[in-house]
Amino acid sequence: MSSMVVTANGNDSKKFKGEDKMDGAPSRVLHIRKLPGEVTETEVIALGLPFGKVTNILMLKGKNQAFLELATEEAAITMVNYYSAVTPHLRNQPIYIQYSNHKELKTDNTLNQRAQAVLQAVTAVQTANTPLSGTTVSESAVTPAQSPVLRIIIDNMYYPVTLDVLHQIFSKFGAVLKIITFTKNNQFQALLQYGDPVNAQQAKLALDGQNIYNACCTLRIDFSKLVNLNVKYNNDKSRDYTRPDLPSGDGQPALDPAIAAAFAKETSLLGLPVAAVPGALSPLAIPNAAAAAAGRVGMPGVSAGGNTVLLVSNLNEEMVTPQSLFTLFGVYGDVQRVKILYNKKDSALIQMADGNQSQLAMNHLNGQKMYGKIIRVTLSKHQTVQLPREGLDDQGLTKDFGNSPLHRFKKPGSKNFQNIFPPSATLHLSNIPPSVAEEDLRTLFANTGGTVKAFKFFQRDHKMALLQMATVEEAIQALIDLHNYNLGENHHLRVSFSKSTI
């Protein structure tokens, strides 16, 4: 297939006629329209980042349009599907995203140098955030270390992380002046300001990649472009430790005056004493019992409205079963109940154990292909999935998995918390009995209708292996078919998505 090439030069407008087809064939280049006049490259790139790597951008300033190229077509499809369900806004203005007719962007460097620089900066920060990056990338991304403000993202947030817990952990590296917490792209994030950039650098080096609680709540830290935070309120979302007199701003009582006085005094000396943080525990070694007490009980309230029920649509109604949905969604949480809708069999309701798990499943599975169809996953308005009345046969469309032995996240601190990755062509296999050879597994996986591209046993442990299918869709199919497959000798195969490639 010959790829069309777009060149950025003076006569852009002539070249981009006919880009207005809403439902063109999928392409990894997306056409974005109705952009606000003053919007920046960074803001446009940020639209694509949650879905994968952004590889190029072309801004057509005069026309309030842009082209955004993602690394893979899958990422672009996921992005278009997501934004067709949730209208994207930039600067409070709705914008429109569709596939471009172009298969790739070839951009003229002189005109597009700035965009490339922005992309490189964004990629450097992204790479510095991934635990796999070599030190070279991380170090080059550390150059803006002049900032005393850190941006903190918390991955795998299975227990709530409070502002006090953050203060507790980061105070080890110097006086924390201010913290602001917020949720962005469905992730809990915080901005934290030290008195001195050196403290920020030490905290980043020591804490980036660490888990707050056993096996979950991983800290991802980089330097913020901001050098000073403006905190208006002292409450559970934001604090200025240098100004204990600030109002709470949301109807909550401000800090108790006695604690406020203690805060002010201590902050000026050496950061906060443990005593002043209600219920603080030793940071980064907070025992699971405490984490469970902090989180598991009221957990559903943490993520978006705490909604535990998902609505999945555009399913292949010939093929889909409650069991197949249980297996796939079970990668991201403990599925309690599944109901395929009786009068609309291409849709199903899936109830997860808590709001965090439904959020994870939605983020990772919306826009993926299952049985040949791209599925849509959104939060449902239902609070629970009703079981059919006693004695009523609903043709096996509803199933209760509450007591399933296959739940991956029952045990707090289970290894599975660390192994939550987006669907990928490479699968991680475990619980393989000694008698099963590479050939057996290759045959087994080829029988799911896909092509096995590569296979590798773990060197130290032949109970585990990586197996790569030709596409993500084939890997999803294989996981649905073979997770919990009985390999004999009472070994049931465990299958999950891997972040590695072979």
Side-chain angles (χ1 to χ4, degrees):
M1 190 173 83
S2 69
S3 59
M4 282 184 67
V5 168
V6 190
T7 318
N9 55 27
N11 55 1
D12 287 331
S13 49
K14 287 202 217 42
K15 294 237 167 111
F16 299 110
K17 291 281 184 281
E19 276 291 353
D20 279 307
K21 294 213 299 290
M22 273 316 283
D23 44 13
S27 155
R28 63 195 185 93
V29 179
L30 299 176
H31 181 214
I32 303 174
R33 300 173 301 131
K34 301 265 187 353
L35 290 169
E38 62 289 1
V39 79
T40 64
E41 275 99 346
T42 315
E43 288 170 276
V44 176
I45 291 168
L47 289 169
L49 287 181
F51 305 95
K53 190 163 183 264
V54 175
T55 46
N56 209 343
I57 180 171
L58 170 61
M59 300 283 281
L60 307 177
K61 280 282 167 42
K63 300 187 69 188
N64 300 78
Q65 298 184 11
F67 288 90
L68 194 68
E69 178 188 274
L70 283 91
T72 64
E73 200 171 286
E74 269 116 347
I77 291 171
T78 309
M79 179 168 163
V80 168
N81 284 347
Y82 178 79
Y83 287 131
S84 63
V86 181
T87 307
H89 284 70
L90 282 180
R91 307 200 174 203
N92 296 326
Q93 192 173 312
I95 57 167
Y96 299 90
I97 298 181
Q98 66 204 52
Y99 299 117
S100 162
N101 301 338
H102 304 292
K103 293 296 174 206
E104 66 166 319
L105 285 179
K106 269 263 171 60
T107 43
D108 172 331
N109 279 349
T110 47
L111 271 160
N112 218 29
Q113 257 167 352
R114 178 152 161 265
Q116 289 304 318
V118 173
L119 263 176
Q120 273 165 350
V122 171
T123 316
V125 170
Q126 261 196 318
T127 329
N129 278 346
T130 56
L132 290 173
S133 65
T135 47
T136 47
V137 183
S138 308
E139 275 153 21
S140 66
V142 170
T143 38
Q146 293 71 31
S147 173
V149 179
L150 294 175
R151 187 178 69 126
I152 302 155
I153 293 179
I154 299 191
D155 281 346
N156 288 350
M157 193 162 125
Y158 273 88
Y159 305 118
V161 173
T162 63
L163 188 135
D164 291 330
V165 167
L166 289 174
H167 187 279
Q168 177 70 14
I169 293 167
F170 283 82
S171 290
K172 288 193 151 178
F173 301 91
V176 173
L177 306 187
K178 302 169 188 177
I179 306 179
I180 297 173
T181 63
F182 53 96
T183 301
K184 185 177 174 189
N185 299 336
N186 296 325
Q187 272 183 315
F188 178 82
Q189 303 196 12
L191 292 167
L192 180 144
Q193 181 176 345
Y194 281 105
D196 186 332
V198 173
N199 301 126
Q201 188 145 20
Q202 287 165 336
K204 179 183 186 303
L205 286 169
L207 297 174
D208 190 22
Q210 297 279 345
N211 294 329
I212 298 179
Y213 300 122
N214 190 0
C216 65
C217 297
T218 311
L219 293 163
R220 300 265 169 255
I221 303 171
D222 56 52
F223 293 101
S224 168
K225 296 191 178 55
L226 301 168
V227 287
N228 184 37
L229 299 179
N230 178 17
V231 176
K232 295 191 178 68
Y233 305 112
N234 282 341
N235 54 33
D236 59 351
K237 305 259 188 308
S238 62
R239 270 285 156 92
D240 183 336
Y241 295 96
T242 62
R243 298 193 51 203
D245 54 318
L246 286 176
S248 70
D250 52 5
Q252 291 186 329
L255 281 175
D256 175 79
I259 294 187
F263 265 129
K265 195 158 136 221
E266 292 295 342
T267 317
S268 53
L269 295 171
L270 68 183
L272 188 71
V274 174
V277 178
L281 294 140
S282 60
L284 288 160
I286 298 183
N288 266 327
R296 275 303 185 206
V297 191
M299 191 60 202
V302 174
S303 74
N307 205 334
T308 57
V309 180
L310 295 167
L311 171 64
V312 188
S313 52
N314 201 37
L315 291 163
N316 181 332
E317 53 187 271
E318 307 295 310
M319 305 286 291
V320 73
T321 61
Q323 185 65 47
S324 61
L325 289 168
F326 167 78
T327 306
L328 179 58
F329 281 73
V331 174
Y332 299 106
D334 294 339
V335 174
Q336 303 300 305
R337 292 175 179 178
V338 177
K339 181 187 201 82
I340 293 173
L341 303 184
Y342 185 76
N343 48 9
K344 198 171 177 340
K345 292 195 173 63
D346 68 347
S347 300
L349 293 172
I350 299 180
Q351 184 177 338
M352 307 296 283
D354 63 45
N356 245 28
Q357 295 182 0
S358 53
Q359 202 69 50
L360 272 173
M362 178 171 83
N363 293 356
H364 287 307
L365 294 174
N366 182 40
Q368 296 291 347
K369 259 190 178 175
M370 179 181 182
Y371 297 124
K373 297 191 76 169
I374 292 175
I375 63 171
R376 288 267 302 279
V377 185
T378 55
L379 291 173
S380 161
K381 297 187 175 54
H382 293 276
Q383 294 307 303
T384 56
V385 168
Q386 296 296 324
L387 293 175
R389 283 199 303 283
E390 207 52 52
L392 201 73
D393 174 30
D394 78 339
Q395 303 171 357
L397 294 176
T398 309
K399 201 152 184 235
D400 187 351
F401 293 98
N403 298 320
S404 168
L406 293 185
H407 286 157
R408 298 178 188 234
F409 304 104
K410 267 225 172 68
K411 289 213 296 278
S414 142
K415 268 239 171 63
N416 293 332
F417 283 112
Q418 289 164 302
N419 296 321
I420 296 175
F421 302 112
S424 60
T426 308
L427 296 166
H428 178 279
L429 316 182
S430 58
N431 207 25
I432 303 167
S435 60
V436 170
E438 171 175 340
E439 215 29 65
D440 305 323
L441 289 164
R442 278 179 173 268
T443 308
L444 184 64
F445 277 78
N447 285 344
T448 62
T451 311
V452 176
K453 286 285 229 220
F455 180 92
K456 185 171 95 191
F457 272 116
F458 278 59
Q459 263 174 334
R460 290 188 301 280
D461 185 358
H462 263 223
K463 291 207 261 326
M464 298 202 283
L466 291 178
L467 179 141
Q468 189 173 339
M469 302 298 286
T471 63
V472 176
E473 184 188 355
E474 288 181 11
I476 288 175
Q477 183 64 54
L479 181 138
I480 290 171
D481 290 350
L482 296 174
H483 178 61
N484 200 42
Y485 183 86
N486 188 351
L487 290 171
E489 302 169 49
N490 209 8
H491 281 65
H492 286 77
L493 182 65
R494 320 283 300 160
V495 185
S496 54
F497 298 112
S498 170
K499 66 167 182 219
S500 317
T501 45
I502 304 175

